[in-house]
Amino acid sequence: MTKRTQLALSTALLASLALGIAGCSDDVKGSSGKGKNPAAANEGQVVGGTPVKGGTLTVLSNQDFSHLDPARNWTMPNMDMGIRLLYRTLTTFKSEPGKAGSEIVPDLATDLGTSTEGGKVWTFTLKKGLKYEDGTPITAKDVKYNVERSFSPDLTGGPDYAAQYLADTKGYQGPLTGKHLSSIETPDDLTIVFKLKRPVADFASTATLPTFSPVPQAQEKGAQYDARPFSSGPYKVESYDRGKKLVLVRNANWDAATDTVRKAYPDRFVFVQGLKGGQVDDRVIASAGADASTIEWSNMRPESAPKVLPKADVKSRLIAESSGCTEMLQLNTSKAPFNDPKVREAMQYAVDKASLLTASGGPALNDIATAYLPPALTGAKQADTLKIAPAGDVAKAKDLLKAAGKDGGFGATFTVSTGDKTRAEAIQQGLSRVGVSVTINTVDPSAYYESIGDIKSAPDMVMAGWCPDYPSGSTFLPFVFDGRTIRDKGNQGNYSQFRDDAVMQRMDEIAAMSDAAKANQAWIDLDAQIMAKSPAVPLMLERKPLLVGTNIAGAFGHPVWSGQLDYAAIGLKDPSKSQG
């Protein structure tokens, strides 16, 4: 999941966006076409040429990391940074822009794994000569140990694919209890075998997640491991002052001969945190002195667009790949009024997505969503089964509410992250057209998901997006709409608390398919079926607008990690100009 802080747009921003999209203003959905979208000129391209080895690359940020512990790291861009710089996984994605970046390649493993028993057993062999930052060897037992750590109740927040896929895990509480999983075998130091409860055709993709990186038991520090993960990647932690600065330096025991993906160009990465978003934008735009060697961690703010889009030299340093994520208005189906499918369907027509688009930075930074699955999972074009106009259909929404006995309207609570208040107000105004009175409650971003993840106090509506972990519908729809994933506390993804027996049965049938192409089409078909039941309203497909300094080279947004800059390939044009 990713969230983007949004603030009210200035008149200057709206004017600049209007100028920027002249000639395609009728296409309120926006466009990913390079000739139409002013923010997408560098889409699929490498900015700055090939880096030179050395120097310090500085990352300017307004926030601390949610988690660096690989058992807990499941948000963007934390996952991209961790996997590319601090730890390696059994498999990973190529470090290339565009479609090529979606190709899976071996990382710690010698190949993409061997499946037996119809895809229920997967075996990986580790490469020889792999070492941690202290020179000790990386073993299969270390990978097993980290997978087991993902079950620990004290190490929350990480991917739960292991819990979903591995056999014989009922009641397991992780290795801190002294117990280990029988469904993961390590017959020798280089071999690891996963026994699954059902066939998983794309388990080689699952193995790209940080859950499948090594953590030696001797380095276990419980929740404190977050502050000092033990490196198996090209960099190690030199110092970390939470919320202020993280400094990474080279891991001398990382062997480039064993790693075909990470280029490790800079000598150091310095993450400067706690800055104001506008300050970050202004420093990277100006690129004065040492700031020429900086990049942004979080999205460029919408109000900075007038300083970027009209200026060719600055716009050439803007990378705005599609995030591959779908932002949704999730409706709490566990109670009235959204336990009524007719009321939920009415919401699909009542929301004014055109106004929301404007409040979110305009079509230069976003596209309107018409389905749950993003285009990356549906053949580059999102489905549009309901064919609702961007501004909605007030008459249709009123008819549906009347049929549900709600022609007089109703009240609903709506909880959003503090930075999303402006966008929430756009939704509030749109729903008021059909008599829905919305009360907006805001929560600090650091506590937002914890707040809406408590189902006993969950509001009527929340704004929450989802990003696929790799190009498969299996990483999207089950996490957002499978009722079996709902937890009383720490609920993730299925904030609508949607439970539908037919949907869950179909998910199981698709998961059991061995033909990936047929499974992909089945997920697309299921997306349309869930849309008809309307547990959520798809809102927007966001871009990831990120600025880089004039001394940055090898920069591109990776298609898998939500358009975040790929830290495996980025570096500097002239290392002597960097500082820090």
Side-chain angles (χ1 to χ4, degrees):
M1 288 164 284
T2 58
K3 291 295 293 183
R4 180 170 69 185
T5 300
Q6 301 287 353
L7 297 175
L9 299 179
S10 66
T11 302
L13 170 60
L14 295 175
S16 75
L17 290 176
L19 289 171
I21 58 172
C24 62
S25 58
D26 290 339
D27 182 14
V28 73
K29 291 185 179 181
S31 171
S32 60
K34 296 172 188 174
K36 296 181 180 180
N37 192 325
N42 294 319
E43 187 172 18
Q45 306 296 313
V46 176
V47 171
T50 302
V52 175
K53 192 171 183 178
T56 296
L57 192 153
T58 301
V59 185
L60 304 180
S61 176
N62 63 346
Q63 59 191 268
D64 196 357
F65 306 103
S66 53
H67 294 294
L68 291 182
D69 184 333
R72 310 181 73 180
N73 190 348
W74 202 19
T75 57
M76 302 298 179
N78 301 281
M79 205 156 57
D80 169 28
M81 175 272 196
I83 291 172
R84 293 315 209 189
L85 301 183
L86 289 174
Y87 30 82
R88 298 173 65 177
T89 46
L90 288 175
T91 61
T92 194
F93 292 96
K94 273 190 173 182
S95 180
E96 293 187 29
K99 186 177 180 180
S102 298
E103 183 180 340
I104 301 167
V105 294
D107 191 1
L108 291 175
T110 57
D111 55 28
L112 299 182
T114 301
S115 65
T116 55
E117 297 187 24
K120 289 184 68 175
V121 176
W122 281 82
T123 302
F124 295 86
T125 302
L126 271 59
K127 297 171 183 174
K128 296 179 180 179
L130 300 170
K131 296 179 181 179
Y132 289 108
E133 62 179 77
D134 65 348
T136 57
I138 296 171
T139 70
K141 288 182 179 179
D142 301 336
V143 177
K144 173 179 177 173
Y145 186 74
N146 191 45
V147 176
E148 292 175 332
R149 294 175 75 245
S150 70
F151 288 82
S152 301
D154 295 332
L155 303 178
T156 58
D160 59 359
Y161 288 86
Q164 288 197 38
Y165 291 168
L166 286 171
D168 304 323
T169 61
K170 187 176 181 180
Y172 185 62
Q173 297 288 298
L176 301 182
T177 63
K179 297 181 180 180
H180 299 278
L181 288 173
S182 60
S183 51
I184 307 177
E185 298 177 352
T186 53
D188 56 58
D189 284 347
L190 298 180
T191 306
I192 185 165
V193 182
F194 298 95
K195 296 183 177 181
L196 313 181
K197 64 181 67 171
R198 62 169 175 79
V200 179
D202 54 8
F203 193 74
S205 298
T206 308
T208 64
L209 293 165
T211 312
F212 298 89
S213 63
V215 170
Q217 186 171 357
Q219 294 294 326
E220 179 64 82
K221 295 180 177 65
Q224 299 305 311
Y225 194 78
D226 242 355
R228 184 60 174 84
F230 196 59
S231 177
S232 57
Y235 298 90
K236 63 181 180 180
V237 176
E238 180 182 74
S239 63
Y240 186 13
D241 188 357
R242 296 298 301 254
K244 295 181 180 179
K245 182 185 286 188
L246 169 72
V247 178
L248 303 182
V249 295
R250 290 193 182 278
N251 170 12
N253 286 294
W254 169 76
D255 185 356
T258 69
D259 194 335
T260 62
V261 175
R262 298 166 185 82
K263 305 305 180 186
Y265 287 115
D267 290 331
R268 289 158 49 97
F269 278 87
V270 176
F271 294 79
V272 180
Q273 302 170 332
L275 303 172
K276 293 182 179 180
Q279 178 187 6
V280 172
D281 289 349
D282 288 344
R283 286 179 59 175
V284 183
I285 289 169
S287 284
D291 283 346
S293 303
T294 62
I295 62 176
E296 295 187 311
W297 177 258
S298 298
N299 294 16
M300 179 189 80
R301 295 162 71 95
E303 60 265 35
S304 295
K307 306 173 187 177
V308 176
L309 299 183
K311 302 176 181 179
D313 59 329
V314 182
K315 189 173 74 171
S316 68
R317 296 187 278 116
L318 172 64
I319 295 166
E321 288 289 332
S322 172
S323 69
C325 311
T326 305
E327 189 81 0
M328 292 168 275
L329 178 67
Q330 295 207 34
L331 311 174
N332 190 338
T333 65
S334 70
K335 61 180 182 178
F338 298 128
N339 58 349
D340 186 335
K342 280 293 181 186
V343 176
R344 301 198 301 264
E345 185 182 1
M347 299 293 283
Q348 298 274 19
Y349 293 87
V351 172
D352 184 351
K353 297 180 187 179
S355 293
L356 177 64
L357 186 74
T358 299
S360 302
L365 301 180
N366 310 274
D367 297 315
I368 285 176
T370 54
Y372 303 128
L373 290 176
L377 303 183
T378 57
K381 184 177 181 181
Q382 196 172 46
D384 188 4
T385 56
L386 298 182
K387 295 180 170 53
I388 302 171
D393 186 334
V394 173
K396 175 72 171 177
K398 288 183 175 180
D399 287 344
L400 288 166
L401 288 176
K402 184 176 182 180
K406 296 288 184 181
D407 49 319
F410 57 88
T413 57
F414 185 20
T415 297
V416 297
S417 172
T418 305
D420 283 327
K421 189 170 186 286
T422 300
R423 298 202 294 167
E425 289 170 345
I427 292 175
Q428 180 187 51
Q429 292 168 12
L431 296 181
S432 69
R433 301 176 303 173
V434 299
V436 178
S437 176
V438 176
T439 300
I440 299 173
N441 300 308
T442 60
V443 178
D444 185 87
S446 63
Y448 179 65
Y449 287 106
E450 181 180 352
S451 174
I452 65 175
D454 186 337
I455 67 171
K456 290 183 179 179
S457 60
D460 298 319
M461 304 186 297
V462 300
M463 191 185 298
W466 193 261
C467 313
D469 288 306
Y470 48 85
S472 169
S474 66
T475 71
F476 196 105
L477 294 181
F479 289 92
V480 184
F481 299 118
D482 189 335
R484 294 163 294 191
T485 67
I486 300 171
R487 303 173 183 173
D488 290 344
K489 289 186 178 293
N491 189 36
Q492 299 183 83
N494 192 349
Y495 299 112
S496 64
Q497 299 183 44
F498 181 62
R499 303 173 189 268
D500 185 281
D501 290 340
V503 168
M504 291 187 288
Q505 180 180 340
R506 186 55 180 157
M507 286 179 177
D508 291 344
E509 292 169 352
I510 300 172
M513 292 181 179
S514 58
D515 187 315
K518 288 183 179 179
N520 180 63
Q521 184 58 52
W523 287 121
I524 295 172
D525 295 341
L526 182 59
D527 182 278
Q529 294 167 32
I530 300 174
M531 277 285 290
K533 300 182 180 186
S534 299
V537 179
L539 299 174
M540 291 190 310
L541 302 165
E542 298 178 339
R543 288 188 173 274
K544 184 76 175 173
L546 295 165
L547 290 162
V548 302
T550 54
N551 193 36
I552 296 295
F556 60 87
H558 197 278
V560 172
W561 287 303
S562 303
Q564 177 62 32
L565 299 174
D566 190 347
Y567 287 88
I570 202 165
L572 305 173
K573 297 177 182 177
D574 184 352
S576 68
K577 293 182 179 180
S578 66
Q579 299 176 20

